[in-house]
Every structure is written in C-alpha cells, then in structure tokens.
Amino acid sequence: MTLSGKIALVTGGNRGIGLATVRALAKAGATVHFTARSAANIAAAQRELGDIPATGHLANMTDRIAMATLLDQNFDILVNNAAVIAPIGRILDISAEDWAHSIDVNLTSVFHATQRALAHMVAKGGGTIVNISSGAAHRPQEGWSAYCAGKAGLAMLTRSVHLEYVDQGIRIFGFAPGVVDTDMQVAIRASGINPVSKIPRENLAPAQEPAQAIAWLCTPAADTLAGQELDVRSPDLRAAAGLPQLD
Ligand SMILES: NC(=O)c1ccc[n+]([C@@H]2O[C@H](COP(=O)([O-])OP(=O)(O)OC[C@H]3O[C@@H](n4cnc5c(N)ncnc54)[C@H](OP(=O)(O)O)[C@@H]3O)[C@@H](O)[C@H]2O)c1
C-alpha cells in the first residue's frame, strides 16, 4: 500500500480517529498535514506521532478564510474527519444555537472545505476525499438530532459530489468508522441517553482500525467503491483493507 507522492490533509487530526489517520497515511507513504484548533493540540499530536512526520496547521473548521487558505496548498487527499457530537439532548432540552453550530461544523464547513479542495483536484485531473460518516447518518439515535441530521446530510453531499465529479477523476467515499474508543465516546457514555451510550468501553474498536481502512480507501485499490457510503464493519471492506474479521 503506497501513497508515496500524495499530499494529504486530515481535519481534526490532533486526536482520536483523525490522529490515527494521520499516522496511517504517513505510514502508507503520503506527506501528511492536519488541522487542530490550538498550538498546544498540534504539539500534543506531534508528541504522540514521535518520528512520524506530519505538519500541523491551526484552523477551526468554521473559519472559512483559514480553511480556504490552507486548502489552497492543493492536496491530493482530503479526509473530512473533524466533527462534534454536541448538543446531546432531546430537542426540547437543547438550544437552536447549539444545533446550528453542530450542522455548521459537521456539514456546512465540510461543504466549504470540499468545494475548495475540489477546485484544485478537478484542475489537476483527480483527487480523493474521504468524508467520515457514521451509523447515525442512516439510523436515528435519541438525543442526537443535530449529529444524525448533519451526518445524513454529509452522506448526501458525498453522493452528490460523486455524481458531479466522478468523470473528472474525483474519488469520494463516505466511511462509517464503527464505534471507536475516542474522546467522543467518553462524552457519549457520560450522557447515558441512548443505546450507543450504553456500549461498554471494552467493546469499542481502537482508532487504528478505521484509520487503516481510510488509508486503504486513498489507494487505487478502492476505486470501484467510490461514491459509496462504506462501513468498517463490512467483511469485504475489512478483508480488502487488511483488517481482521469481527467475531
Ligand atoms: N468515535 C466514534 O465511535 C465515531 C463513530 C462514528 C463516527 N465518528 C466520526 O469520526 C470522526 C472522528 O471522531 P472521533 O471519535 O475521533 O472524535 P473526537 O475524539 O471527539 O475528535 C474530534 C476532532 O474534531 C475536531 N474538531 C471538533 N470541532 C472542530 C472545529 N470546529 N474545527 C476544527 N476541528 C474540530 C477536534 O478538535 P479539538 O481537539 O480541538 O476539539 C478533534 O480533533 C468524526 O467525524 C465523528 O463524527 C466517530
């Protein structure tokens, strides 16, 4: 598996699935860049990465100018990973402002990043975008109306980009990473609001698993899957990406 010569950007690459994806893409040979929201978070990620080279950039997903300036560096691979689970709560218990912020981070900002990246990718004849999806894009969960709506919208954005740009060399994937042992699941467990929040930590997957599959999606071996919403729990995908089968 080689991504040698490819330049990749992972949003929210300072922790969780994003950080594991930075590591997996770099190990596959890509030159990797990632966003984080503070210099301290970039430094912490660099410490975790050790000898693995990756360049951190300060950028909030909702900062259109910072993101556009960064995306003008012309990446071959964009992993739209950054997202928020908040607000967690039933609709009468959450604010419209928090709901709108979730949609901004998880959907509208991804549209802006994708639009900017696409302009460069189309101009040079190709590129890969991986949108990190969720089971919540397709199955509602109590207390997650904003997150589910944002991820459902993202799944449609993925499929729309595929229809519009597949003929111009754009490979776009939606990828649900499974239930993964990250800080997002800490917040979910603390809420106790729905069945996902009751999954014990020991049943969660390590972030390296989805990261390995994301890196595989960035290789030509995944070409035939472009335009689809994929799930790390798919036996065929796991076999192709070199992941062990689930029990
Ligand atoms: N973990 C799971 O079980 C699971 C399941 C299904 C889907 N996913 C998806 O997988 C992706 C990664 O999730 P995770 O579990 O690794 O989450 P996480 O541990 O909560 O990390 C989220 C990342 O997104 C960044 N982020 C949040 N808001 C941002 C903003 N406004 N601008 C820029 N960056 C922002 C965070 O930055 P800070 O460190 O600055 O907050 C962090 O780097 C997300 O798209 C999530 O929806 C996760």
Side-chain angles (χ1 to χ4, degrees):
M1 180 158 87
T2 179
L3 295 173
S4 166
K6 301 294 182 194
I7 307 177
L9 178 69
V10 181
T11 64
N14 57 295
R15 61 188 169 101
I17 295 167
L19 179 61
T21 301
V22 169
R23 195 179 278 118
L25 290 170
K27 282 190 173 164
T31 300
V32 187
H33 297 249
F34 65 94
T35 72
R37 289 192 288 180
S38 72
N41 285 351
I42 292 177
Q46 300 286 13
R47 277 195 300 278
E48 292 272 334
L49 289 166
D51 312 343
I52 296 171
T55 306
H57 300 267
L58 267 182
N60 192 311
M61 281 298 288
T62 60
D63 182 340
R64 310 280 182 246
I65 293 171
M67 286 302 294
T69 304
L70 176 56
L71 286 159
D72 284 347
Q73 291 192 24
N74 199 342
F75 296 98
D76 303 296
I77 295 166
L78 171 63
V79 181
N80 283 314
N81 166 77
V84 287
I85 188 71
I88 298 178
R90 295 179 187 85
I91 289 170
L92 292 180
D93 302 327
I94 59 176
S95 74
E97 290 73 20
D98 290 346
W99 207 92
H101 178 71
S102 167
I103 297 294
D104 190 0
V105 175
N106 295 356
L107 180 58
T108 312
S109 296
V110 180
F111 162 78
H112 284 280
T114 298
Q115 187 185 48
R116 197 75 174 201
L118 264 180
H120 295 289
M121 290 175 176
V122 167
K124 67 183 170 186
T128 298
I129 299 173
V130 182
N131 287 335
I132 305 305
S133 184
S134 167
H138 309 285
R139 288 181 300 279
Q141 289 288 342
E142 186 176 359
W144 291 5
S145 62
Y147 185 75
C148 291
K151 291 293 185 182
L154 182 62
M156 274 296 163
L157 178 64
T158 300
R159 293 168 65 189
S160 301
V161 170
H162 176 71
L163 280 180
E164 293 175 3
Y165 294 101
V166 64
D167 292 343
Q168 293 176 72
I170 304 303
R171 306 155 72 254
I172 187 162
F173 305 88
F175 174 73
V179 189
V180 185
D181 190 9
T182 67
D183 295 342
M184 186 175 279
Q185 287 294 338
V186 174
I188 289 168
R189 276 197 303 283
S191 74
I193 199 166
N194 61 30
V196 181
S197 67
K198 308 276 173 29
I199 300 174
R201 184 173 181 193
E202 55 269 26
N203 291 3
L204 305 186
Q208 301 91 276
E209 284 203 359
Q212 184 174 324
I214 293 164
W216 179 78
L217 288 175
C218 295
T219 70
D223 278 0
T224 56
L225 301 179
Q228 297 185 37
E229 277 279 294
L230 304 163
D231 193 303
V232 74
R233 289 159 286 207
S234 150
D236 289 350
L237 179 67
R238 295 184 78 82
L243 291 174
Q245 292 299 332
L246 299 169
D247 297 334

